[in-house]
Amino acid sequence: MQRDCHMKAFPEDNMAQTETQRRGYAVGVQTFDRIRERGSVYIDKTPYIWKMVTTDAVNFFLSRPRRFGKSLLVDTLRCYFEGRKELFEGLAIYDLEKEWKKHPVIQLNLSNGKYFEKELVHGTLDKILEQEERTFGLGEYKEPTSYDARLTRLIETAYEQTGEQVVVLIDEYDAPMLDSMNDPALQEYIRNRVRNLFSPLKAQEKYLRFVFLTGVSKFSQLSVFSELNNLQQLTFNPDFEGICGITEEELLTQMKPDIEILASKMDEFAQQWGERYDYNHTVEKLKYWYDGYHFSDRMTNIYCPWSLINALAMGRIMNFWFSTGTPTSLINILRTRTNISLVELEGYSAKLTRFDAPTERITDPIPALFQSGYLTLKEYDGRKNEWKLGFPNEEVREGFALCLYQYYMADYIGSADTLGIAFNDLRFKDKTFEQFIEVIRKWYAGIPYSITDKNQNEQLYQSLLYAAFLAVGGDVSAEEQTSDGRMDIALKMPDAIYILELKYGKTAEEATDQIIAKNYAVRFAADSRPVWAVGLNISEDHRTIDHYKVVQVK
């Protein structure tokens, strides 16, 4: 992890206050009118909205990862269809739209509640509907009424009151099912009720001007995707790739003043380490930490808006993604229900249909990791019609590895600090690599037997060490391809590169011999740093490093 990325508050700079500073950053705000009325930073997504609302299609679905701006997009649509022209002054759609016709809008945000128990399901859905019923002056039914009847009454009432077709915006439609992912019986209960809620969207088609659903995943058994006529799925549509998130072009144009301010603050901080920050260096760091998302074969570079806005607001570049939490269900699937390890996720190949797979019952982590934003499209092979996946950026790679590390090592989490301190000692040349290996040996010895007893193999120890290196901020890669094989782990330090080969129940000499025989070091032939071969023998009896060998190979 770069030293300039870590947590220190920045003093106020002495620059004259610019327009960018006065408008500020609406961190976590998802209501369009509040952002516009306060003059906060807003990246203009109205060209995409205009493209949507002027097509012949009526029903749209968009899947994007969490913290990617879906709710803000939904609320922007609300303000547009309510005809609030004044909020859009200065944006592309302000001049494109000539009529600014007002439509009644029903907005249902299914993330406004929790669904961990049956008792919570009805209360949450009832409250969401009740809020919209009050908006249109509807009182309570005198007797219990199904969700579909209530939504039907809402749509018909809104149409009758205004004489205009109705807009229905459903945000995070899949939130109830995601909350119950580890409880099949509860999820079936919830699925039936959500299916009932959505069923009028087809029957009431004549009253509807526009229907827009967002979510993280695709639950085909809800029947939304089969029953809605001509549902346009925007998830992989290249024309809408940048509808959420912040594209590289938007960053370098609309946010250029913001980057200049951040560069000034970063430079002030970095000087105490003898380093300097300018505009170009800041852009490079922002790209390294927050860029890398792609959602079509156009491969538009897209930044995570949550992290980027937080970095600009706080004046520092650091990991914000990890603080949003990683679903333990995903980690559990990787750990116990598949044979896919962490090191295989970078460069994993699959067809696009697999990324868009339904998530009713997760046995395959690849779609879930993609839909959640932990993996993204990295490279397209048109001949095979396959995509390569990978972590989008350093922030997600490090955050996911740390979460995986904590999940494996829940009772030994303090070892992360020990390993991190040892890593920095190596980085700043306070200790030798041999001393660092001694720390790794003790760290391996602390891995719970409950893990190693069931999974004793080289891949497990490789995955754990790779996750640990990522968790402490190492510049590390796994399974790098060479002309004659794949190296287990490559750890890149400022003054050297270490190729680590792990052997379970064999010898350290066999490990270093393999590195030399297969000429793994050729992968770094153009690098001026020396390269060391590191062989680690994992003992079957002791479950840790019995022997190691370090040999310079370049």
Side-chain angles (χ1 to χ4, degrees), residues 146-414:
S146 62
Y147 301 130
D148 62 329
R150 292 174 68 179
L151 184 56
T152 297
R153 182 176 70 144
L154 261 172
I155 292 171
E156 292 178 351
T157 300
Y159 179 78
E160 291 167 0
Q161 287 180 357
T162 63
E164 296 291 345
Q165 287 182 304
V166 181
V167 172
V168 178
L169 306 174
I170 301 175
D171 194 18
E172 304 287 2
Y173 89 100
D174 53 350
M177 283 69 68
L178 293 175
D179 271 358
S180 58
M181 191 68 71
N182 291 323
D183 188 337
L186 176 60
Q187 187 173 90
E188 181 63 24
Y189 175 86
I190 292 173
R191 187 185 295 120
N192 289 334
R193 276 138 191 85
V194 175
R195 182 190 294 122
N196 175 259
L197 171 62
F198 291 156
S199 60
L201 295 178
K202 180 179 181 180
Q204 300 296 307
E205 182 180 17
K206 65 180 179 179
Y207 297 115
L208 298 175
R209 162 65 180 88
F210 186 87
V211 176
F212 187 71
L213 294 88
T214 76
V216 170
S217 52
K218 179 179 175 183
F219 283 79
S220 60
Q221 292 183 26
L222 286 177
S223 303
V224 175
F225 298 96
S226 59
E227 290 185 5
L228 278 181
N229 292 337
N230 302 315
L231 181 65
Q232 299 294 306
Q233 296 200 50
L234 305 181
T235 302
F236 300 111
N237 188 324
D239 291 335
F240 293 91
E241 188 171 19
I243 194 170
C244 286
I246 297 174
T247 68
E248 189 166 60
E249 180 183 0
E250 290 165 344
L251 176 69
L252 298 179
T253 54
Q254 297 184 49
M255 306 188 79
K256 184 176 181 180
D258 306 270
I259 300 173
E260 291 171 343
I261 293 170
L262 176 62
S264 175
K265 293 180 177 180
M266 292 296 293
D267 184 61
E268 184 176 347
F269 175 55
Q271 286 183 44
Q272 63 183 300
W273 303 107
E275 301 174 6
R276 298 306 302 264
Y277 260 80
D278 58 13
Y279 176 86
N280 290 332
H281 190 196
T282 303
V283 168
E284 179 185 323
K285 287 295 182 183
L286 290 173
K287 185 176 183 65
Y288 177 70
W289 279 89
Y290 309 130
D291 187 21
Y293 289 94
H294 307 103
F295 300 100
S296 83
D297 55 8
R298 190 170 290 173
M299 298 297 284
T300 302
N301 289 321
I302 299 176
Y303 290 68
C304 174
W306 166 257
S307 302
L308 187 57
I309 293 298
N310 267 283
L312 295 172
M314 296 179 66
R316 56 189 176 191
I317 298 174
M318 54 178 282
N319 193 322
F320 297 100
W321 177 268
F322 182 66
S323 65
T324 66
T326 298
T328 55
S329 57
L330 295 182
I331 301 296
N332 190 51
I333 290 161
L334 268 179
R335 177 183 168 189
T336 62
R337 293 169 60 185
T338 76
N339 59 358
I340 299 173
S341 68
L342 175 64
V343 298
E344 293 179 282
L345 294 178
E346 293 265 28
Y348 197 93
S349 294
K351 295 189 181 299
L352 196 63
T353 51
R354 184 174 177 189
F355 306 155
D356 197 31
T359 49
E360 280 85 5
R361 296 178 180 85
I362 296 183
T363 55
D364 179 2
I366 297 301
L369 289 169
F370 171 78
Q371 293 162 359
S372 301
Y374 295 96
L375 297 177
T376 193
L377 308 179
K378 283 295 187 180
E379 183 182 330
Y380 179 61
D381 185 337
R383 184 174 58 87
K384 296 181 179 179
N385 192 28
E386 288 183 352
W387 282 94
K388 280 190 176 180
L389 291 175
F391 294 110
N393 50 51
E394 181 62 20
E395 179 185 45
V396 174
R397 178 174 27 244
E398 179 187 284
F400 186 76
L402 184 56
C403 184
L404 186 65
Y405 175 85
Q406 290 183 346
Y407 193 71
Y408 271 116
M409 306 287 286
D411 298 326
Y412 197 60
I413 194 59

